[in-house]
């Protein structure tokens, strides 16, 4: 409620016209932000109301209405996902800058939440350090010697911070990497193991190398190579254009929702 009310007091004994101009400029800055925040809150209310109504309808619907049950299940899942993203964005409002908030407005909901999340992480770890982009489109800390690497997608975000050049990539195991294998996976890389996750690890590692190189136009097949994958040790080794071997750390993390589902299945079996 505090964000929905902005009071601007102007006390001037002179230069009344200048004070009026200042107020108008302040209102021009605050009004779009307030409208967006108010819209965000309204979307949460509307989607919550719709979700509750659909859940109630599903409970009362006879089991033989199979098509309607399926349609309700799909729509409820979509609403839950939308609500999570909207609430995340709302929670992040006080953790990012006005410029971040304004820039995020151009993105779709999920992309917006991921963008705000990684920036909030940087500010939490390093303070209010300005963030920019280099010529290759990679994020950089302005006026700060430290390096950062960023990755986001699938509702997740990852940030790495180091005194040396660094990079990170995060992907979902459920993504079908083999569909695009011809564009990034060489026969030698495909033979690095019989684990079904090899293609995904190679993609993730090459994305990391691409970001680390900070050069546009690198070819995933010709310029980036993965030579070793050790799932047990969590180690991957690759090269950029035949240069020195570059060690990378591999972490396989379970999605929070996936972990909850597995725990529920265990409880039901017991």
């Amino acid at each position: 409620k505090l964000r929905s009310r902005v009071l601007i007091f102007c006390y001037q004994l002179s230069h009344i016209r200048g004070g009026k101009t200042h107020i108008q400029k302040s209102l021009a800055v605050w009004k779009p932000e307030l409208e967006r925040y108010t819209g965000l809150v309204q979307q949460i209310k509307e989607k919550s109301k719709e979700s509750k109504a659909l859940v109630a309808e599903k409970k009362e619907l006879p089991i033989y209405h199979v098509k309607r049950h399926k349609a309700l299940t799909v729509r409820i899942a979509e609403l839950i996902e939308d609500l999570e993203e909207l609430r995340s964005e709302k929670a992040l409002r006080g953790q990012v800058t006005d410029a971040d908030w304004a820039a995020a407005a151009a993105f779709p909901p999920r992309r917006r939440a991921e963008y705000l999340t990684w920036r909030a992480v940087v500010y939490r770890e390093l303070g209010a350090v300005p963030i920019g982009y280099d010529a290759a489109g990679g994020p950089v800390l302005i006026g700060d010697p430290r390096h950062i690497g960023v990755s986001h997608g699938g509702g997740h975000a990852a940030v790495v911070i180091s005194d040396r050049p660094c990079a990170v990539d995060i992907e979902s195991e459920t993504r079908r990497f083999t569909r695009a294998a011809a564009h990034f996976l060489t026969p030698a890389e495909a033979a690095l193991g019989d684990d079904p996750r090899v293609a995904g690890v190679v993609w993730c590692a090459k994305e990391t190398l691409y970001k680390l190189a900070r050069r546009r136009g690198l070819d995933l097949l010709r310029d980036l190579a993965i030579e070793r994958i050790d799932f047990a040790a969590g180690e991957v080794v690759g090269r950029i254009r035949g240069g020195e071997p570059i060690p990378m750390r591999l972490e396989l993390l379970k999605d929070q929702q996936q972990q909850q589902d597995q725990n529920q299945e265990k409880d039901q079996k017991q």
Side-chain angles (χ1 to χ4, degrees):
K1 290 183 178 179
L2 290 176
R3 291 182 182 274
S4 65
R5 300 182 179 88
V6 175
L7 301 178
I8 299 178
F9 294 94
C10 182
Y11 179 77
Q12 285 190 218
L13 296 178
S14 59
H15 305 293
I16 296 177
R17 289 184 180 178
K20 183 178 179 181
T21 301
H22 176 73
I23 291 175
Q24 290 174 338
K25 288 182 179 179
S26 298
L27 286 172
V29 172
W30 279 101
K31 187 176 179 181
E33 183 175 341
L34 287 171
E35 288 177 347
R36 184 172 165 209
Y37 188 86
T38 303
L40 192 62
V41 173
Q42 186 62 31
Q43 286 184 67
I44 292 174
K45 288 181 179 179
E46 291 175 355
K47 289 182 181 292
S48 296
K49 184 178 180 180
E50 182 183 354
S51 179
K52 289 178 182 178
L54 293 180
V55 169
E57 180 186 346
K58 187 178 178 182
K59 286 181 179 179
E60 298 296 328
L61 191 68
I63 194 170
Y64 52 80
H65 290 286
V66 179
K67 289 185 177 181
R68 182 56 180 166
H69 267 286
K70 288 183 178 179
L72 287 172
T73 300
V74 171
R75 181 54 184 160
I76 290 170
E78 290 175 348
L79 287 169
I80 291 173
E81 185 175 335
D82 288 347
L83 283 168
E84 288 177 352
E85 292 165 0
L86 290 169
R87 285 168 179 155
S88 295
E89 184 180 346
K90 180 184 175 185
L92 289 166
R93 180 59 192 98
Q95 303 175 45
V96 297
T97 67
D98 292 341
D100 296 332
W101 185 260
F107 305 141
R110 172 171 287 191
R111 176 82 165 77
R112 187 184 307 147
E114 294 168 355
Y115 171 83
L116 294 174
T117 296
W118 77 255
R119 287 190 166 242
V121 170
V122 172
Y123 300 142
R124 183 192 68 195
E125 297 298 321
L126 304 179
V129 57
I131 302 172
Y133 293 91
D134 61 18
V140 295
L141 302 175
I142 300 174
D144 192 304
R146 288 169 292 190
H147 302 265
I148 62 170
V150 172
S151 179
H152 52 86
H156 299 280
V159 177
V160 60
I161 303 170
S162 176
D163 293 330
R164 298 180 296 174
C166 56
V168 63
D169 191 62
I170 184 171
E171 300 287 350
S172 171
E173 284 189 47
T174 59
R175 181 176 175 182
R176 297 182 181 180
F177 297 96
T178 52
R179 285 184 172 182
H183 300 287
F184 73 90
L185 186 67
T186 67
E189 291 165 344
L192 288 174
D194 55 5
D195 192 299
R197 297 170 296 184
V198 165
V201 171
V202 169
W203 170 268
C204 205
K206 287 193 173 184
E207 282 286 294
T208 302
L209 291 175
Y210 191 96
K211 295 173 185 177
L212 183 66
R214 301 266 176 170
R215 281 178 278 174
R216 294 184 183 274
L218 291 177
D219 186 88
L220 296 179
L221 286 172
R222 296 192 304 269
D223 299 323
L224 306 176
I226 305 303
E227 299 178 346
R228 185 168 70 87
I229 300 175
D230 188 333
F231 284 95
E235 296 175 351
V236 179
V237 176
R239 296 176 191 263
I240 301 173
R241 286 185 171 173
E244 293 296 317
I246 299 173
M248 291 170 277
R249 188 173 75 250
L250 170 65
E251 292 188 21
L252 301 173
L253 305 175
K254 286 188 177 181
D255 182 86
Q256 186 176 3
Q257 184 61 50
Q258 181 184 2
Q259 185 66 57
Q260 291 175 355
D261 294 341
Q262 290 179 355
N263 292 338
Q264 288 178 358
E265 289 179 3
K266 288 181 181 178
D267 293 339
Q268 291 173 357
K269 290 179 180 179
Q270 294 175 354

